[in-house]
């Protein structure tokens, strides 16, 4: 069920309304919020994601154009950790998929650089919570005090495969 629609945003321009029930996403059934977000992440700016929604008892097709605006959670990762990340959908062995935060850039002098993070790393968790969406990053970092020490788990690809490292950093 669509909870909120940002005024003037792509969903509102496409005609989505709070209370709409997402039935299909790109022809797949059922459509969850996560499936919708994954479909958006596979698209480029201006490309459309096809949905079928139920509103007031009738089904309606809706196409939402992708607009690349930085999510507040990604902005907080940039500000508080010094990380530019790109969420990517990663297939799992069981046929499912998960969202991972791939590091694209590390700000010089930022918290992430101080613990040795590099472009190509994956930020797996913060403060013991798996980081599977920008929404989670926002809720974890929004009210955290400056200089708070938090645990992070970082994945890095090596010749032996992906290696996991847990450490602590002080938030900017």
């Amino acid at each position: 069920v669509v909870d909120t629609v940002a005024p003037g945003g792509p969903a509102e321009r496409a005609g989505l309304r709070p209370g709409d029930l997402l039935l299909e996403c790109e022809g797949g059934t059922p459509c969850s919020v996560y499936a919708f977000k994954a479909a958006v992440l596979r698209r480029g700016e201006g490309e459309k994601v096809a949905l079928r929604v139920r509103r007031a008892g009738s089904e309606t097709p809706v196409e939402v154009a992708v607009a690349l605006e930085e999510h507040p959670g990604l902005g907080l990762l940039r500000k508080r950790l010094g990380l530019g990340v790109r969420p990517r959908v990663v297939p799992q062995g069981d046929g499912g998929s998960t969202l991972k935060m791939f590091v694209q850039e590390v700000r010089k002098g930022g918290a992430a650089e101080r613990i040795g993070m590099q472009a190509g790393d994956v930020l797996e968790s913060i403060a013991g919570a798996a980081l599977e969406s920008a929404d989670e990053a926002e809720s974890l970092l929004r009210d955290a005090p400056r200089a708070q020490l938090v645990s992070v788990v970082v994945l890095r690809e090596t010749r032996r495969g992906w290696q996991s490292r847990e450490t602590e950093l002080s938030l900017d």
Side-chain angles (χ1 to χ4, degrees):
V1 175
V2 176
D3 230 12
T4 58
V5 177
E12 183 183 66
R13 289 192 300 272
L16 279 177
R17 299 180 195 158
D20 284 351
L21 177 63
L22 300 176
L23 300 174
E24 291 181 7
C25 183
E26 295 297 305
T29 304
C31 183
S32 67
V33 171
Y34 292 112
F36 173 67
K37 287 180 179 182
V40 167
L41 289 171
R42 288 191 295 268
R43 302 289 186 288
E45 176 123 28
E47 292 184 67
K48 295 186 177 184
V49 176
L51 303 173
R52 180 166 294 284
V53 302
R54 179 174 294 134
R55 176 183 304 141
S58 63
E59 293 184 15
T60 303
V62 176
E63 287 190 336
V64 178
V66 173
L68 300 179
E69 301 167 3
E70 185 171 75
H71 186 287
L74 300 183
L76 284 169
L77 286 170
R78 183 178 309 284
K79 180 180 177 183
R80 305 294 309 274
L81 275 67
L83 284 178
V85 301
R86 181 170 193 273
R88 264 190 8 212
V89 177
V90 177
Q92 300 296 292
D94 62 2
S97 62
T98 188
L99 192 68
K100 298 289 185 186
M101 299 292 174
F102 281 80
V103 175
Q104 289 191 298
E105 61 182 286
V106 179
R107 185 181 69 228
K108 193 146 190 75
E113 186 194 54
R114 292 192 298 269
I115 64 163
M117 288 187 72
Q118 304 172 3
D121 287 349
V122 173
L123 183 58
E124 182 77 4
S125 71
I126 299 175
L131 196 58
E132 295 176 344
S133 75
D135 292 336
E136 289 170 351
E138 182 180 15
S139 68
L140 289 167
L141 297 172
R142 180 182 44 242
D143 299 321
R146 182 167 165 57
Q148 177 177 338
L149 203 57
V150 296
S151 65
V152 294
V153 174
V154 178
L155 301 177
R156 179 171 293 158
E157 191 170 25
T158 69
R159 283 181 270 162
R160 296 185 314 256
W162 286 94
Q163 302 294 312
S164 176
R165 177 174 66 107
E166 184 170 0
T167 189
E168 290 184 326
L169 58 73
S170 178
L171 295 173
D172 290 343

